[in-house]
Amino acid sequence: MIKGLPKEIILFISLVFAQVFIFNNIQFSGLINPNVYVLFILLLPFSTPGWLLLLSSFFLGISVDIFSQTLGMHAFACVFMAALRPITLKILSTREGYIPNTSPRIADYGFIWFFRYAFVLIFFHHLALFYVDVFSFHGFFRTLLRVILSVTFTVIIVLIEQYLFERK
C-alpha cells in the first residue's frame, strides 16, 4: 500500500483536475454528465482498509465539490460508492479470489469482470449524485434517464482508459 502511494496521489490529483477542467464542461442536453473521477475509487487496491477507502473517497468528492461549488453532493456520492465497494467485490469475487497486492483492473481480471464491477459502482454513484442534486422525485424518469446515459458514457470512458493506460 505504501509503495503505491505516490502513484495513487498522482492519480487522485490528475482525475480531479480532469474532472473539473474537462469533464465538467461536457454536457449533452443536460442529460450526459461524465464523472470519470470515480476511477480513483474503482482502482484502489483490494487491500485498502475500509476506513482509508471511505476517507479518501470523501476527500475525492469534496475536492470536486470545492471546484464545482456543489456543496457536498460529490462527497456524498463518493462515500456511498466506497461503502458499496466491498459488498460489490464480495458478490463479484472470482472462484480463485483476488490476487494479493493487486488492484481491480481489466489486465488482471478480464473485461467481463471489470465491466460488471465498474458498471455497478458507477451506477450507484450516479444514482446518488443525481437524485441528491434534484432532491425530489419530481421528474423521476428524466433523472433516471440522466443517470443511465451518464453511467453509460462514464463506463465507456473508464473502459477506454483501462485499455489505453493499463498494461499487464
Side-chain angles (χ1 to χ4, degrees):
M1 180 80 189
I2 299 295
K3 189 171 87 174
L5 192 59
K7 181 181 174 187
E8 302 299 332
I9 292 171
I10 291 169
L11 180 64
F12 182 98
I13 293 169
S14 61
L15 285 173
V16 167
F17 279 111
Q19 181 66 44
V20 169
F21 295 114
I22 298 170
F23 293 106
N24 278 356
N25 297 316
I26 297 175
Q27 291 189 8
F28 300 105
S29 303
L31 292 175
I32 299 176
N33 307 97
N35 293 297
V36 297
Y37 69 94
V38 299
L39 185 62
F40 176 79
I41 301 168
L42 291 172
L43 296 182
L44 283 173
F46 294 116
S47 59
T48 305
W51 66 270
L52 184 58
L53 175 65
L54 292 172
L55 191 63
S56 60
S57 297
F58 173 77
F59 282 119
L60 176 68
I62 205 73
S63 298
V64 173
D65 282 328
I66 289 169
F67 288 109
S68 304
Q69 300 174 350
T70 49
L71 301 172
M73 292 185 327
H74 291 276
F76 168 75
C78 285
V79 171
F80 183 64
M81 178 182 175
L84 293 177
R85 185 178 184 247
I87 298 164
T88 305
L89 286 173
K90 185 177 270 188
I91 291 170
L92 296 176
S93 180
T94 60
R95 231 180 264 158
E96 300 83 28
Y98 298 113
I99 302 167
N101 302 321
T102 62
S103 297
R105 302 187 192 286
I106 283 181
D108 295 325
Y109 295 96
F111 175 82
I112 300 294
W113 181 89
F114 187 83
F115 176 79
R116 288 179 186 159
Y117 166 71
F119 181 83
V120 166
L121 289 177
I122 291 171
F123 176 79
F124 282 112
H125 171 273
H126 282 61
L127 191 70
L129 179 67
F130 292 139
Y131 278 104
V132 164
D133 182 25
V134 295
F135 205 66
S136 166
F137 287 112
H138 179 69
F140 176 83
F141 291 107
R142 179 169 169 73
T143 305
L144 186 60
L145 176 65
R146 187 175 168 204
V147 168
I148 292 168
L149 292 175
S150 294
V151 165
T152 303
F153 198 73
T154 303
V155 168
I156 289 170
I157 293 171
V158 165
L159 292 173
I160 289 170
E161 183 280 334
Q162 282 291 290
Y163 281 111
L164 289 179
F165 298 111
E166 297 297 325
R167 305 271 189 267
K168 189 161 186 176

